[in-house]
């Protein structure tokens, strides 16, 4: 089975599915939903089958590789392949897509837009999500990086809240701006490369011979695009609007998966392609990350809109992720990769449960809620668990990744790690304040009759919480996949972990 | 100070026999919690029984293990159980592992023993609450987390238990969170604890950075090779953690509010067990603190401040639970002080922790019994004369009261007086400052506890008209009796026999004969005298004179104590209000400043000065085009600079 084109298959199924859903006759909305869910579940099954074939300790950098010439004149190939980092992110997308489809069942029923269109867009998005993480040709990556914008633009712009046009345009403009900087850098990279029909292959782009100035410029091009995508402070302001206006399912895929392309790109492209420039930029990047951690958390505390609040918590979390990546230690980078996965599940749970709440009451404002725990205990309980995962309670998966990031940062940058650790205090405030205001107290006029979770909604939330708790106590299966890939990245950038200050005597280390 | 400090034998022998069941200690109550929380209404019928059976089963396992340990040589009483590899990245290796040794065994028996009694009591206390099952689910979650905290064999696994008990505490303080104040109290407790957890996080990071490991065995093995600066930093961060969890100065403000939880919660979590976790942490980390005398000094200072702070607050509170909470804070101050003294104090800190666990839990449950008979009133000015109608509650409370004030022969006399003696050990100014603080504290304790006791059970009946006090059912009074017996005799059993010191010596080290700044006989006499003065004062003020139903205005000190020495006012003006101001201005800044600037740049690049807000979809193409041009220019520049 090693020659089976797993990744092309994985990308093609939702693409075909998307076309099929879109082609359904009008008025068959239920069928469209069922078909979309079935297809996304098939993708999930194929992903599981593929993951079982994956060998974490394989010699080759990428597995399930497929390389075909595409535009040989410009050195562009259709090249796919995954390492452990890409694999866990594809798995994240494969899990979240069916969850979001199920969660969005009635979300667009009342809009005047096409219902089947929404589900077709979600599937199309899945194709691009798989592709962007699997692309091992820099140009192909760029194409998919930009292509992702299209379905998301329509998801926000057509199916979003009251301010959807503004949010969608803002999202698109920010992304296009970053993308064009990246395009410039991609072209620049081609100019300095050795050329040839496979010039854009990731492996062929490693160890290029740059002048320092060029390397820095190219780094900045890539990094800016990724920083906007992630997003890092201070180019984050599109996210609260986009995430708040997007329908809940779209918000999950946007913040949970799409934004990860930014931090994934830093780890996959910025560091290995431009190791010297990365080291040169590290002080600035670390500073931005630490500011982002604290700034995002403070802004989250000050929000009055639940979806914007979650968006700002994500800005804080993206600060952590990028911090771990640029700490350039194995703990930091493995922690960041795991963080990307965990944050996907955690934010998904938060956005979806808040979405359920909003669908009942018709308001995103915290002030419109109160006493929900008395009338809808399951909704409140799952919301609390999701919130606790956002504040990285030990025992939940997010703690493992957040602590790895912090400890991995601490061994190099103590001050940065200590300030970022302050984020855990702020996190407890933004989550518990929101819980206190919405869920506790006496039910208000508007919440007295709220329904508790329906069976469908419970099925949406249960797998997410199960993963969050399961990976909290036993993160090994995921870490085992991530670790070898991170070690390879560390080699590519010529970094080794700092040794303990006090040498450990033989035999006492546990 | 000549001390022979035995290095901790924390790298215990592999677990066999009954010790291979250590994981069950935690798993049983965790299972109970899972069933009761996930099972929903279906488990209402038997929830309280299952919830009580789980900690009881853990207690049995703990007892069996305890006797198995007794049968071993003192050096072989540490047993490790490796469960699985939890986190493994590069050289950062943390296993899920448990350590049963003399120190953790003390806690296991306290948590499961006292815990089971409190579960039994709760069956009666919560009988009329429609959510009793959920209450037991949370209590079980607490017991599981607390056991994990004391059984962990590394700091990171300890951390899981550490925040786990914080979560349980949050859930239980806010158990009646439909009352807005209670919900706020729960959040306050969690956030204050998170400030402490920040310390624990940083401490663990320093350990890994400096020593390359976070397991007890690894850290303690390498501690003597670490620099004093590193150990001091670790020690101070651990102390911060302890201050959060154990409500020590300056993170003490949450404990009084935490009394919002049902009274059994106050007894179990906020008196007997969770709030003593800070003491455990410091004593467990003895090898770190032994190399950091400055950190130890700060520990002692924090303990001394808190023991006086709590005692002063306790003198002015009219709410019986808040008075007891202040007392808890003060008593833990004693333990922290002892823990900072080093080997001379470790065993006595644990000793006092155990006796306090009994008498304070007993008194809290007694207070709950009083509230049960008094329509949940808590104002002692509305109590009085209850001794005749609640005989069992009165008598068990009497023993608790005598125990805490250190009445000769009862538990507190053995444990607290030993701490006072230990505080007087040493040279220079320290024994005088800390010893006298501990001594004064004993006198104040006698005053406020006598006040509390007399106002509640004696004097004239000041009841409101709607109450008809009655004794509680047996399911509540039997645990009271058991705890009262412990309050009376546990000290006698462990103190004068030297049993507790002997038992703990392999873990916490031993110390030779110590000379106190004043002879021990003088100290004992002084303590008893001060206690007598405290009792006498309280007697003359609260029994001989009538107690007014509304509190008199009082002196400036009384007013300050009533308001918790202005702790909330200070936090509010130093942290909360500036924080709110900062948050608000940042929200404004983010909308107008950052967003505005970026929008401005975008507008500039797009070549239009129009407000971004008014953008229509039609503009996108022109923006895209102009950015493409911009990108082309960039490429051109790059080519020019010599790519």
């Amino acid at each position: 089975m090693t020659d089976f084109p797993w990744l092309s298959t994985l990308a093609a199924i939702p693409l075909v599915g998307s076309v099929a859903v879109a082609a359904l006759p009008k008025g068959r909305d239920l069928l469209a939903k069922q078909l979309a869910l079935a297809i996304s579940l098939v993708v999930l099954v194929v992903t599981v089958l593929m993951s079982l074939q994956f060998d974490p300790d394989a010699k080759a950098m990428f597995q399930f590789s497929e390389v075909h010439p595409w535009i040989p004149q410009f050195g562009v190939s259709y090249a796919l392949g995954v390492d452990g980092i890409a694999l866990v992110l594809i798995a994240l997308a494969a899990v979240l897509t069916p969850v979001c489809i199920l969660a969005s069942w009635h979300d667009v029923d009342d809009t005047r837009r096409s219902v089947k269109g929404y589900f077709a867009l979600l599937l199309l998005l899945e194709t691009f999500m798989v592709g962007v993480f699997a692309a091992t040709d820099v140009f192909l990556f760029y194409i998919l990086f930009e292509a992702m914008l299209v379905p998301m633009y329509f998801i926000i712009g057509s199916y979003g809240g009251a301010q959807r046009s503004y949010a969608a345009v803002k999202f698109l403009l920010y992304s296009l701006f970053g993308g064009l900087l990246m395009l410039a850098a991609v072209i620049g990279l081609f100019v300095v490369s050795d050329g040839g029909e496979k010039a854009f292959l990731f492996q062929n782009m490693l160890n290029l011979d740059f002048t320092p100035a060029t390397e820095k410029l190219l780094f900045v091009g890539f990094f800016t695009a990724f920083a906007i995508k992630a997003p890092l402070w201070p180019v984050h302001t599109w996210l609260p609007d986009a995430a708040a206006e997007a329908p809940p399912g779209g918000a999950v895929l946007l913040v949970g998966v799409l934004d990860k392309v930014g931090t994934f790109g830093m780890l996959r492209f910025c560091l290995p392609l431009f190791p010297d420039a990365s080291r040169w930029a590290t002080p600035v990047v670390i500073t931005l990350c630490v500011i982002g951690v604290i700034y995002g958390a403070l802004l989250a505390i000050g929000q009055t809109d639940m979806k914007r609040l979650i968006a700002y918590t994500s800005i804080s979390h993206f600060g952590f992720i990028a911090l771990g990546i640029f700490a350039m230690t194995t703990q930091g980078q493995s922690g960041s990769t795991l963080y990307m996965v965990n944050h996907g599940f955690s934010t998904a749970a938060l956005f979806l449960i808040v979405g359920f709440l909003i669908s009942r009451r018709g308001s995103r404002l915290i002030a419109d809620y109160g006493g929900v725990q008395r009338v809808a205990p399951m909704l409140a309980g799952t919301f609390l668990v999701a919130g606790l995962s956002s504040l990285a309670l030990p025992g939940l998966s997010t703690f493992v990744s957040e602590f790895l990031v912090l400890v991995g940062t601490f061994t190099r940058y103590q001050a940065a790690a200590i300030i970022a650790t302050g984020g855990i205090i702020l996190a407890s405030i933004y989550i518990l304040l929101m819980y206190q205001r919405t869920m506790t107290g006496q039910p208000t006029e508007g919440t007295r009759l709220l329904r508790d979770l329906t069976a469908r909604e419970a099925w949406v939330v249960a797998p997410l919480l199960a993963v969050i708790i399961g990976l909290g106590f036993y993160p090994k299966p995921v870490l085992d996949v991530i670790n070898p890939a991170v070690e390879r990245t560390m080699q590519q950038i010529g970094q080794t972990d700092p040794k303990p200050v006090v040498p450990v005597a033989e035999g006492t280390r546990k | 100070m000549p001390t022979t400090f035995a290095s901790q034998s924390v790298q215990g022998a592999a677990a066999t026999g009954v010790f291979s069941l250590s994981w069950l200690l935690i798993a049983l109550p965790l299972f109970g919690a899972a069933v009761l929380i996930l099972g929903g209404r279906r488990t209402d019928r038997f929830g309280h029984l299952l919830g009580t059976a789980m900690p009881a089963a853990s207690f049995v396992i703990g007892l069996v293990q305890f006797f198995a340990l007794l049968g071993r040589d003192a050096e072989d009483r540490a047993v490790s159980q490796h469960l699985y590899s939890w986190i493994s990245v590069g050289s950062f290796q943390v296993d899920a592992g448990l350590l049963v040794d003399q120190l953790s065994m003390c806690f296991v028996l306290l948590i499961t023993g006292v815990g089971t009694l409190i579960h039994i009591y709760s069956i009666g206390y919560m009988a009329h609450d429609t959510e009793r099952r959920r209450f037991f689910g949370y209590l079980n979650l607490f017991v599981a987390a607390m056991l994990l905290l004391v059984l962990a064999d590394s700091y990171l696994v300890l951390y899981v238990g550490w925040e786990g008990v914080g979560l349980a505490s949050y859930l239980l303080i806010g158990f009646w969170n439909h009352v807005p104040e209670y919900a706020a109290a729960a959040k306050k407790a969690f956030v204050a604890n998170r400030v402490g957890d920040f310390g624990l996080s940083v401490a663990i990071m320093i350990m890994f950075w400096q020593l390359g490991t976070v397991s007890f065995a690894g850290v303690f093995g390498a501690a003597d090779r670490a620099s004093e600066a590193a150990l001091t930093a670790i020690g101070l961060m651990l102390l911060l953690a302890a201050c959060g969890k154990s409500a020590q100065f300056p993170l003490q403000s949450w404990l009084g509010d935490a009394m919002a939880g049902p009274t059994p919660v106050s007894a179990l979590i906020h008196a007997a067990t969770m709030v003593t976790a800070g003491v455990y942490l410091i004593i467990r980390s003895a090898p770190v603190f032994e190399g950091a005398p400055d950190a130890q000094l700060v520990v002692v200072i924090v303990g001394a401040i808190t023991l006086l702070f709590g005692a002063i607050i306790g003198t002015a509170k009219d709410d019986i639970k808040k008075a007891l909470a202040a007392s808890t804070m003060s008593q833990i101050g004693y333990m922290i002080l002892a823990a900072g003294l080093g080997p001379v104090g470790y065993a006595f800190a644990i000793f006092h922790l155990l006796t306090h666990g009994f008498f304070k839990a007993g008194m809290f449950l007694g207070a709950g019994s009083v509230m049960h008979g008094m329509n949940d009133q808590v104002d002692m000015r509305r109590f009085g004369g209850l001794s005749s109608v609640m005989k069992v509650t009165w008598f068990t409370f009497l023993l608790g009261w005598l125990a805490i004030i250190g009445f000769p022969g009862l538990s507190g006399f053995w444990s607290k007086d030993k701490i006072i003696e230990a505080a007087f050990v040493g040279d220079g100014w320290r024994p005088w400052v800390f010893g006298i603080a501990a001594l004064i504290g004993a006198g104040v304790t006698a005053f406020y506890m006598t006040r509390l006791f007399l106002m509640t059970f004696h004097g004239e009946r000041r009841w409101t008209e709607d109450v008809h006090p009655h004794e509680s059912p047996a399911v509540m009074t039997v645990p009271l009796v058991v705890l009262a017996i412990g309050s009376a005799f546990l000290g006698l059993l462990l103190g004068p026999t030297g049993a507790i010191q002997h038992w703990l010596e392999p873990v916490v080290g031993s110390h030779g004969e110590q000379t106190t700044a004043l002879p021990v006989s003088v100290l004992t006499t002084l303590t008893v005298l001060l206690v007598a003065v405290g009792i006498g004062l309280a007697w003359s003020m609260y029994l001989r004179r009538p107690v007014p139903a509304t509190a008199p205005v009082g002196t400036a000190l009384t007013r300050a104590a009533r308001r918790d020495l202005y702790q909330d006012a200070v936090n509010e003006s130093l942290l909360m209000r500036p924080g709110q101001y900062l948050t608000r201005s940042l929200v404004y800044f983010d909308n107008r400043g950052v967003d505005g600037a970026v929008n401005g740049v975008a507008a500039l690049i797009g070549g239009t000065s129009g407000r971004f807000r008014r953008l229509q979809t039609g503009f996108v193409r022109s923006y895209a085009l102009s950015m493409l041009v911009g990108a082309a220019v960039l490429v051109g520049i790059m080519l020019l600079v010599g790519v």
Side-chain angles (χ1 to χ4, degrees):
Chain A
M1 292 283 275
T2 45
D3 293 335
F4 184 78
W6 283 103
L7 293 165
S8 290
T9 311
L10 213 49
I13 296 171
L15 183 63
V16 173
S18 170
V19 173
V21 169
L24 284 175
K26 259 197 158 90
R28 304 297 302 275
D29 289 348
L30 181 64
L31 183 66
K33 293 171 186 175
Q34 287 166 337
L35 183 61
L37 181 63
I39 288 164
S40 65
L41 286 172
V42 170
V43 175
L44 179 59
V45 170
V46 175
T47 307
V48 170
L49 290 177
M50 181 182 83
S51 304
L52 292 175
Q53 308 275 322
F54 185 81
D55 172 14
D57 302 315
K59 285 251 172 1
M61 180 170 178
F62 297 118
Q63 300 181 45
F64 315 121
S65 289
E66 302 168 36
V67 180
H68 305 288
W70 182 21
I71 318 173
Q73 296 85 339
F74 292 112
V76 179
S77 319
Y78 172 84
L80 302 178
V82 290
D83 59 1
I85 299 169
L87 181 71
V88 295
L89 290 169
I90 289 175
L92 172 70
V95 174
L96 286 186
T97 306
V99 165
C100 284
I101 289 176
L102 190 59
S104 308
W105 214 249
H106 298 299
D107 280 354
V108 293
D109 286 357
D110 300 330
T111 58
R112 277 178 299 168
R113 308 283 180 154
S114 150
V115 172
K116 65 177 183 182
Y118 182 68
F119 292 90
L121 282 172
L122 289 180
L123 286 176
L124 181 64
L125 194 58
E126 187 173 24
T127 293
F128 292 138
M129 291 190 293
V130 170
V132 79
F133 290 125
T136 55
D137 179 283
V138 178
F139 195 82
L140 179 65
F141 172 82
Y142 168 74
I143 296 285
L144 291 166
F145 182 84
E146 295 287 53
M148 276 187 329
L149 299 177
V150 178
M152 188 44 79
Y153 172 77
F154 285 108
I155 285 174
I156 300 173
S158 301
Y159 300 94
Q163 297 286 315
R164 56 180 179 270
S165 310
Y166 170 68
V169 171
K170 193 169 174 184
F171 160 73
L172 194 66
L173 286 184
Y174 265 91
S175 302
L176 279 179
F177 175 68
L180 285 164
L181 282 185
M182 189 166 134
L183 175 62
V186 166
I187 296 170
L189 203 55
F190 180 68
V191 175
V192 271
S193 73
D194 308 332
E197 293 188 354
K198 294 181 175 176
F200 270 116
L201 275 192
F202 178 78
Q203 290 93 329
N204 297 342
M205 287 282 182
L206 289 172
N207 308 317
L208 291 182
D209 200 13
F210 302 110
T211 64
T214 315
E215 188 181 347
K216 286 173 193 169
L217 270 178
L218 295 179
F219 169 86
V220 170
F222 274 87
F223 180 79
T224 310
F226 294 143
I228 290 174
K229 180 65 74 180
L232 296 188
W233 188 87
V235 284
H236 62 274
T237 57
W238 64 269
L239 184 71
D241 288 310
E245 297 302 329
V252 170
L253 294 181
L254 173 67
V255 182
V257 186
L258 255 62
D259 288 355
K260 303 294 162 30
V261 180
T263 43
F264 168 79
M266 293 176 199
L267 188 55
R268 164 64 68 77
F269 296 102
C270 280
L271 298 192
L273 296 186
F274 319 108
D276 293 330
S278 298
R279 273 190 292 276
W280 159 76
T282 294
V284 176
V285 177
I286 298 263
T287 309
L288 293 182
C289 293
V290 171
I291 293 175
V293 166
I294 301 297
Y295 187 92
L298 284 172
L299 263 289
I301 293 172
Q303 294 306 308
T304 53
D305 172 320
M306 289 188 283
K307 284 172 89 179
R308 286 183 75 89
L309 192 155
I310 301 170
Y312 275 106
T313 70
S314 294
I315 290 166
S316 179
H317 291 146
F318 285 120
F320 276 110
I321 297 174
L323 182 65
I325 291 172
F326 277 84
M328 300 196 200
T329 58
T330 50
Q331 289 84 30
Q333 295 185 344
S334 284
S336 290
T337 309
L338 187 60
Y339 207 131
M340 292 186 222
V341 177
N342 291 336
H343 175 262
F345 290 117
S346 163
T347 317
L350 267 180
F351 264 127
L352 293 178
I353 295 169
V354 162
F356 298 152
L357 198 57
I358 293 169
S359 71
R360 284 160 167 71
R361 176 86 172 82
S363 166
R364 304 198 311 237
L365 294 183
I366 291 171
D368 286 338
Y369 294 86
V372 174
Q373 200 212 342
R374 302 285 280 178
V375 290
M378 260 169 56
L379 202 158
T382 50
F383 181 70
L384 182 62
V385 178
L388 292 173
S389 77
S390 182
L391 62 78
L393 187 86
L396 302 181
S397 59
T398 42
F399 169 73
V400 177
S401 41
E402 193 161 295
F403 196 82
L404 279 172
V405 164
L406 288 171
V407 84
T409 306
F410 196 93
T411 51
R412 274 195 214 283
Y413 309 103
Q414 290 81 30
I418 289 174
I419 299 171
T421 307
I424 72 170
I425 301 171
L426 300 176
S428 72
I429 298 176
Y430 61 64
I431 289 296
L432 296 184
L433 202 58
M434 174 163 65
Y435 187 81
Q436 183 189 343
R437 288 172 175 168
T438 55
M439 300 293 167
T440 72
Q442 290 291 351
T444 61
E445 201 54 52
T447 57
R448 191 160 299 138
L449 296 175
L450 284 196
R451 218 157 35 114
D452 208 345
L453 290 187
T454 64
R456 173 182 63 85
E457 290 165 337
W459 274 105
V460 167
V461 177
L464 296 175
L465 299 191
V467 170
I468 287 169
I469 295 171
L471 285 184
F473 283 94
Y474 198 61
K476 198 172 184 312
V478 180
L479 279 176
D480 281 350
V481 171
I482 294 171
N483 282 337
V486 164
E487 276 158 27
R488 186 176 288 114
T489 305
M490 290 280 288
Q491 281 167 14
Q492 284 164 352
I493 55 178
Q495 291 283 345
T496 51
D497 286 341
K499 292 262 177 283
V501 177
V502 176
V504 178
E506 279 305 308
T508 55
R509 172 174 277 170
K510 271 266 306 144
Chain B
M1 196 184 295
T3 58
T4 57
F5 185 76
S7 74
Q8 289 196 18
S9 49
V10 285
Q11 179 72 68
T16 52
V18 66
F19 294 104
S20 55
L21 297 180
S22 295
W23 64 276
L24 263 184
L25 285 169
I26 300 164
L28 286 172
L30 190 63
F31 170 76
V35 169
L36 296 184
I37 293 170
L38 298 177
R41 302 243 165 263
R42 274 158 293 184
T43 56
D44 273 356
R45 236 165 7 91
F46 60 89
H48 52 290
L49 300 177
L50 180 77
T52 309
M54 290 298 123
S58 289
F59 179 62
V60 172
I61 297 176
L63 265 188
V64 174
Q65 290 194 340
F66 171 66
F67 285 111
L69 284 188
L70 272 184
R72 294 180 172 214
D73 290 337
E75 300 77 44
D76 297 336
R77 284 179 183 157
V79 186
S80 293
Q81 184 176 27
H82 174 261
L83 297 175
Y84 58 89
S85 164
W86 180 32
I87 304 176
S88 158
V89 176
S91 59
F92 189 78
Q93 304 282 339
V94 184
D95 293 340
L98 305 178
L99 170 70
V100 177
D101 69 354
Q102 294 91 330
L103 182 58
S104 46
M105 186 45 73
C106 287
F107 279 87
V108 167
L109 294 179
L110 177 74
I111 296 159
T112 56
V114 174
T116 303
L117 289 173
I118 292 174
H119 277 75
I120 294 171
Y121 175 96
S122 305
I123 295 177
Y125 190 84
M126 298 298 283
H128 304 298
D129 197 302
T130 52
E131 301 252 35
R132 182 170 68 170
R133 164 197 53 85
R134 186 163 63 89
F135 180 77
F136 274 84
Y138 292 167
L139 272 192
N140 273 206
L141 177 68
F142 168 75
V143 171
M146 188 72 203
L147 287 168
L148 180 63
L149 194 168
V150 298
L151 286 169
D153 74 346
S154 72
Y155 281 98
L156 205 65
V157 177
L158 176 145
Y159 197 169
V160 178
W162 188 265
E163 282 220 342
V165 294
L167 170 66
S169 164
Y170 169 80
L171 292 171
L172 285 163
I173 295 171
F175 187 72
W176 291 316
N177 65 18
H178 49 274
V179 182
E181 292 78 29
Y182 293 6
K187 185 198 66 198
K188 181 177 178 182
F190 196 97
V191 173
N193 269 286
R194 267 262 155 152
V195 177
D197 300 345
F198 166 86
L200 186 56
S201 291
V202 174
I204 298 173
M205 290 178 222
I206 303 175
M207 289 172 197
F208 180 68
W209 172 45
Q210 288 282 323
L211 312 172
T213 170
V214 300
S215 72
F216 290 158
V219 170
F220 303 156
D224 54 351
R225 279 173 283 130
S227 67
E228 188 179 324
L231 293 179
T232 305
I234 296 173
L236 290 176
M237 286 295 117
L238 290 175
L239 174 64
L240 181 62
C243 285
K245 197 58 80 194
S246 295
Q248 297 294 293
F249 184 83
L251 295 179
Q252 78 290 354
S253 71
W254 63 271
L255 187 61
D257 293 15
M259 296 301 119
T263 308
V265 172
S266 314
L268 178 61
I269 302 184
H270 304 119
T273 56
M274 182 191 87
V275 286
T276 60
V279 182
Y280 171 78
L281 182 69
I282 290 176
I283 293 181
R284 177 57 86 192
S285 311
V288 171
F289 282 96
E290 286 303 311
D294 290 344
Q296 277 185 314
L297 178 62
V298 182
V299 173
V300 179
I301 292 173
V302 165
I305 291 177
T306 313
L307 84 87
L308 290 175
F309 198 100
I312 292 170
I313 293 174
T315 59
K317 289 285 176 187
D318 291 329
D319 177 325
I320 187 169
K321 287 183 73 180
K322 295 212 168 174
L324 285 172
S327 162
T328 302
M329 189 198 294
S330 169
Q331 295 299 309
I332 297 173
Y334 273 103
M335 301 171 207
I336 294 280
L337 182 145
L341 293 173
V344 71
Y346 291 144
F348 301 128
I350 296 295
F351 185 23
H352 194 52
L353 191 156
L354 294 176
T355 59
H356 175 262
F358 275 82
F359 60 66
K360 188 55 68 60
M363 284 192 285
F364 258 117
L365 294 187
S369 178
V370 168
M371 288 162 60
H372 200 67
M374 298 287 281
N375 290 358
D376 286 328
Q377 291 186 16
V378 288
D379 185 0
M380 295 189 289
R381 293 187 178 276
R382 286 312 197 158
F383 294 169
L386 287 171
S387 58
S388 53
V389 286
M390 311 178 82
K391 287 215 158 51
V392 181
T393 305
W394 166 73
F395 187 70
T396 53
F397 208 102
L398 173 79
L399 287 178
W401 164 58
L402 292 174
I404 191 175
I405 65 174
F407 190 81
L410 296 186
S411 288
F413 172 76
W414 302 109
S415 56
K416 192 166 63 182
D417 284 21
K418 280 294 180 187
I419 294 180
I420 297 174
E421 277 173 33
F424 268 105
V425 170
D427 315 307
W429 58 274
R430 289 185 196 184
W432 295 105
V433 172
F434 300 130
I436 288 171
L439 209 53
I440 293 174
V444 184
T445 305
F447 172 79
Y448 72 72
M449 283 313 299
T450 310
R451 172 180 179 270
L452 187 154
F453 183 71
L454 294 178
M455 279 175 85
T456 304
F457 290 102
H458 295 278
E460 57 189 312
R461 297 176 173 183
R462 303 178 297 276
W463 310 341
T464 50
E465 291 188 1
D466 52 336
V467 297
H468 308 284
H470 53 84
E471 184 57 278
S472 300
V475 70
M476 290 168 66
T477 51
V478 170
L480 284 178
V481 172
V482 178
L483 288 169
I485 294 171
S487 312
F489 300 115
L490 189 66
L492 195 63
L493 186 72
L494 299 177
T497 57
I500 188 77
Q501 283 170 275
H502 188 68
W503 171 255
L504 287 173
E505 192 187 305
V507 186
V508 301
S510 64
H511 58 92
E513 275 302 301
Q514 299 291 339
T515 47
T516 45
L518 288 170
V520 172
S521 56
V522 175
L523 288 177
T524 308
T525 317
L526 267 178
T527 312
V528 173
L529 263 179
L530 273 171
V531 167
V533 170
I535 297 174
L537 258 180
W539 179 74
S540 70
M541 289 171 70
Y542 296 97
L543 197 64
R544 286 192 47 202
R545 274 180 252 158
V547 178
T550 47
V553 180
T555 63
L557 183 63
T558 312
R559 290 198 302 272
R562 208 174 277 147
R563 292 192 54 196
D564 305 302
L565 299 179
Y566 303 114
Q567 57 186 18
D568 285 334
V570 169
N571 285 348
E572 220 163 88
S573 54
L574 284 185
L575 299 171
M576 258 177 66
R577 271 197 228 113
Q580 282 168 346
Y581 182 76
L582 176 69
T583 313
R584 259 183 236 134
S585 28
L586 279 182
V587 170
Y588 183 84
F589 169 74
D590 197 61
N591 289 339
R592 297 294 158 84
V594 181
D595 206 9
V598 179
N599 286 349
V601 172
L604 212 65
I605 292 172
T608 161
S609 57
R611 285 279 307 241
F612 195 80
R613 209 165 288 281
R614 283 190 278 116
L615 273 178
Q616 299 297 318
T617 335
F619 284 103
V620 173
R621 237 171 303 146
S622 57
Y623 271 95
L625 186 67
S626 41
M627 279 195 280
L628 189 63
V629 173
V633 172
L634 275 174
V635 174
I637 293 172
M638 283 195 307
L639 291 171
L640 276 179
V641 296
V643 171

